[in-house]
Amino acid sequence: MPAHGLGRLSDGQARALLDEHTALRGPGTGWDLHEYRHSALTHLGEQGASLLMLMAKSGCW
């Protein structure tokens, strides 16, 4: 664990937090991690990020 006391979230923890903070119609209706990643990549592309940057961010090497 890092010195600041903050550890990494598990996939399940990240999924639950993302759903909790994006759900509009109750639990289970929020974004999933796949949608979140693609939304972030879309915004980067719209801001003019290079193809290499998008590939690096998406893990497509």
Side-chain angles (χ1 to χ4, degrees):
M1 186 175 300
H4 51 66
L6 299 175
R8 293 179 56 111
L9 293 174
S10 70
D11 284 348
Q13 290 170 318
R15 191 176 302 112
L17 283 172
L18 185 59
D19 181 60
E20 177 184 338
H21 291 280
T22 60
L24 298 176
R25 295 177 304 276
T29 63
W31 287 14
D32 63 32
L33 295 173
H34 184 81
E35 290 173 315
Y36 184 70
R37 182 177 77 185
H38 283 281
S39 174
L41 291 172
T42 298
H43 290 294
L44 283 174
E46 289 171 346
Q47 294 169 3
S50 70
L51 179 59
L52 287 176
M53 174 63 81
L54 295 173
M55 289 174 66
K57 292 286 186 182
S58 70
C60 292
W61 283 108

